[in-house]
Amino acid sequence: MENLNKKVWDLSENYDKQLNPNIDAAWSEFDRRRKSLTDTKVAKRSFLLPLSIAAGLALAVGFFFLNRPTGQQFQNLATSENQIENISLSDGSEMWVNENSSISYFSSKEDERTVSLEGEAYFEVAPNKAKPFTVKSGKVEIKVVGTAFNVREIKASGAIEVEVKSGIVEVITGAKKVQLKKGESVIVAAEKLTKKVGNNIGGWRTKEFIFNKQSVADILEEIQRVYDVKVVFRNRDLEKCTFTTNFQDESIDNILEVIATGLGCELKKVNDTSFVLKGGSCS
Amino acid sequence: MTNQPNKSEEILELFAKDPDKGMEMMFRTYFGLVSSIVYRVLNDSALAEDISQEVFLSVWKNRETIKITSSLKSYLATAARNKALNYIRDNKVKFAGGDEMPEVPDMTPGVEKEIAGKALKKRVTQLIDLLPERCRHTFVLSRFENLTYKQIAVEMGISEKTVENQISKALAFLRTGLASFLDEK
């Protein structure tokens, strides 16, 4: 047995995982990203650090690239699980930061309207035509003059989703950009912009949902995300059923009860965060 | 792009004199290496390219303070591995899928006609890529990144016992899948 494992271990040497990226394209991408950084000014040090510490430091220092002249209140807020924070900016704009997200912004400088976001947040931006409000999320830049919109980093794919509740929003990635109006949304993945119709924008904040002939799969995806629960279908065919309903800040049990009843399923609660739907059919 | 032993030093020298040119040379020489390491760990090519960009961006951001005491190549390889590990750590949700082992797939017909080495490569890659995410991460980090069970446990937030179990599961799966290659010997 041991001997066999050793052989298998040796054979696995053959794992062929080479990436042959287009270096020219990668270099232009790097050059673009590099230029969009504000240079960190760190005092020159002359002592040598052990490599591992130096590497760790190099990665850590990277997070502080938003270094600006002093005198401005630079704030950084990170939310933990189940924590939603509401922030009012001095220009009158408001932001709601969803759980497991982090946001950097200036709290006292009225003409500085740039925030950088990791995770998800909903914005209500005070109008100021002369000074656009900019949200940076990964490779995506969202520019607005006065509007309400939601920005979300989709963890599974790294894509960024922007949904517009009111006003006009400009979404820019690399050389491409798109304008969104009320009710529109876009998914940005690998510098591709895919427009779609958005609904329940910022639903995580208000727990108000309106679903109009939407597939059960889509509805549940959103509900599971907002309520942090897992819902399993025994009958996968149901995912394609469409459903029209709305919820106003209801408990997860109530919501799933409504869906189960609508589909004729039996709802089984495994524990507080996981549910199973059995049987049922699209009717 | 050959990597002569002194390539690394040459780049570092250039980097010190002319950061712009040095950066480009470093990037063009090692982006393939860095992205392959990240790709091997994370098994997602788009993600690998993105994270590799960040590896080089970190170098660029810290160009004034950075001190590389080993070879540039191994410095970048370590940085690539660390970035990939950070990604796993920060995205537990994404990787939280089940640990259920898949069925061992049949060999693709026609495989015997290929050169033995090539067929083996294909088969090993197919099998490792099929492992459940957590199992694959554990195996790859141990096998190719030479991390100890303890290091893997710390990085992935699981117990050493779990690491051990995942490795044995991976080996058992590979053993079954590679049966025809093992018999020949």
Side-chain angles (χ1 to χ4, degrees):
Chain A
M1 189 70 129
E2 270 313 300
N3 199 16
L4 256 182
N5 272 348
K6 171 83 173 66
K7 266 191 193 162
V8 171
W9 182 265
D10 291 343
L11 278 183
S12 67
E13 173 78 53
N14 287 286
Y15 190 35
D16 189 19
K17 233 28 196 173
Q18 291 288 324
L19 203 56
N20 294 308
N22 176 335
I23 301 284
D24 286 330
W27 170 253
S28 335
E29 165 71 11
F30 176 82
D31 204 35
R32 194 188 60 72
R33 285 205 206 177
R34 172 173 74 160
K35 281 179 181 133
S36 72
L37 294 173
T38 309
D39 283 1
T40 315
K41 292 274 174 269
V42 188
K44 279 201 176 186
R45 304 262 166 110
S46 55
F47 56 83
L48 295 181
L49 288 171
L51 179 66
S52 57
I53 301 180
L57 210 66
L59 300 185
V61 171
F63 290 111
F64 295 97
F65 66 92
L66 270 167
N67 190 8
R68 300 279 172 99
T70 48
Q72 301 175 15
Q73 288 284 18
F74 179 67
Q75 305 277 336
N76 198 322
L77 175 108
T79 54
S80 52
E81 207 160 313
N82 295 322
Q83 182 193 7
I84 294 179
E85 286 291 331
N86 175 216
I87 302 165
S88 300
L89 296 173
S90 50
D91 70 347
S93 300
E94 282 202 83
M95 322 189 274
W96 284 262
V97 185
N98 204 355
E99 63 174 357
N100 298 324
S101 300
S102 82
I103 197 159
S104 308
Y105 61 101
F106 289 90
S107 65
S108 64
K109 203 81 162 69
E110 274 184 34
D111 60 351
E112 181 58 73
R113 306 219 301 167
T114 299
V115 306
S116 91
L117 169 76
E118 274 177 50
E120 178 167 26
Y122 178 80
F123 298 87
E124 283 182 9
V125 174
N128 181 351
K129 282 222 162 89
K131 198 80 202 169
F133 188 98
T134 307
V135 179
K136 290 182 179 172
S137 176
K139 287 187 214 170
V140 181
E141 225 176 270
I142 301 124
K143 274 201 163 77
V144 307
V145 288
T147 152
F149 61 103
N150 192 71
V151 180
R152 173 166 75 109
E153 183 188 352
I154 300 171
K155 288 243 163 70
S157 59
I160 307 285
E161 178 194 62
V162 183
E163 301 174 299
V164 181
K165 182 118 178 165
S166 68
I168 292 175
V169 167
E170 189 170 68
V171 179
I172 305 153
T173 184
K176 292 179 200 143
K177 60 178 166 182
V178 65
Q179 263 202 359
L180 302 177
K181 297 192 295 284
K182 180 183 171 180
E184 288 182 327
S185 74
V186 70
I187 296 207
V188 188
E191 302 206 4
K192 274 198 206 75
L193 296 149
T194 315
K195 240 169 143 174
K196 59 174 196 151
V197 178
N199 47 13
N200 301 315
I201 294 152
W204 56 270
R205 190 173 59 98
T206 54
K207 295 205 163 67
E208 284 174 21
F209 300 95
I210 298 169
F211 295 111
N212 191 7
K213 286 192 189 150
Q214 263 181 283
S215 78
V216 172
D218 285 352
I219 296 175
L220 280 178
E221 197 211 286
E222 186 139 9
I223 297 288
Q224 292 184 91
R225 187 166 73 77
V226 172
Y227 285 87
D228 243 337
V229 295
K230 190 141 183 59
V231 183
V232 176
F233 270 114
R234 279 289 155 74
N235 180 359
R236 297 296 295 262
D237 295 343
L238 294 185
E239 292 188 349
K240 292 189 205 88
C241 308
T242 57
F243 213 74
T244 298
T245 183
N246 55 47
F247 302 111
Q248 303 279 332
D249 196 9
E250 284 178 56
S251 73
I252 183 65
D253 298 73
N254 282 349
I255 291 174
L256 292 177
E257 197 59 57
V258 168
I259 294 172
T261 312
L263 296 170
C265 298
E266 186 195 331
L267 175 67
K268 207 177 148 230
K269 185 171 180 171
V270 181
N271 56 43
D272 279 349
T273 57
S274 77
F275 299 82
V276 178
L277 289 169
K278 283 187 194 167
S281 63
C282 301
S283 51
Chain B
M1 220 168 301
T2 51
N3 289 323
Q4 309 98 329
N6 59 355
K7 184 86 175 173
S8 177
E9 277 169 44
E10 186 191 330
I11 294 174
L12 282 175
E13 256 171 52
L14 182 63
F15 190 55
K17 267 188 267 169
D18 184 343
D20 262 316
K21 283 210 179 101
M23 191 69 225
E24 179 158 5
M25 192 172 176
M26 184 191 308
F27 189 95
R28 289 185 180 277
T29 310
Y30 293 118
F31 189 78
L33 169 86
V34 165
S35 59
S36 289
I37 291 173
V38 182
Y39 180 49
R40 195 168 58 191
V41 177
L42 295 176
N43 196 20
D44 177 327
S45 55
L47 193 59
E49 286 211 31
D50 192 55
I51 288 176
S52 306
Q53 289 276 351
E54 284 176 30
V55 171
F56 288 94
L57 279 173
S58 290
V59 173
W60 180 251
K61 280 180 212 159
N62 300 291
R63 62 191 178 280
E64 288 179 20
T65 45
I66 213 162
K67 289 281 176 219
I68 296 169
T69 50
S70 63
S71 85
L72 176 62
K73 190 174 168 185
S74 62
Y75 174 86
L76 289 172
T78 308
R81 188 188 77 191
N82 288 345
K83 279 267 185 202
L85 281 170
N86 287 351
Y87 186 86
I88 296 176
R89 204 181 49 214
D90 298 342
N91 291 275
K92 282 216 185 85
V93 188
K94 181 185 165 189
F95 298 120
D99 281 337
E100 221 168 286
M101 299 301 282
E103 270 182 47
V104 175
D106 291 336
M107 296 282 284
T108 332
V111 121
E112 321 81 61
K113 287 186 201 135
E114 294 176 63
I115 315 152
K118 213 173 164 193
L120 176 62
K121 237 179 195 177
K122 229 174 164 176
R123 182 66 174 169
V124 168
T125 308
Q126 176 198 28
L127 291 169
I128 296 181
D129 284 349
L130 269 174
L131 294 172
E133 203 67 74
R134 193 160 72 151
C135 185
R136 210 188 65 82
H137 283 151
T138 316
F139 183 74
V140 168
L141 292 174
S142 166
R143 178 68 178 84
F144 302 106
E145 299 303 324
N146 304 319
L147 261 58
T148 63
Y149 285 7
K150 190 165 185 180
Q151 285 171 315
I152 297 172
V154 171
E155 292 294 344
M156 294 185 53
I158 55 182
S159 70
E160 275 183 65
K161 190 79 204 151
T162 309
V163 174
E164 223 178 297
N165 287 341
Q166 297 287 348
I167 302 271
S168 349
K169 271 192 189 175
L171 286 173
F173 181 73
L174 292 175
R175 205 164 56 217
T176 318
L178 294 173
S180 60
F181 294 97
L182 289 163
D183 288 346
E184 284 166 26
K185 303 236 164 111

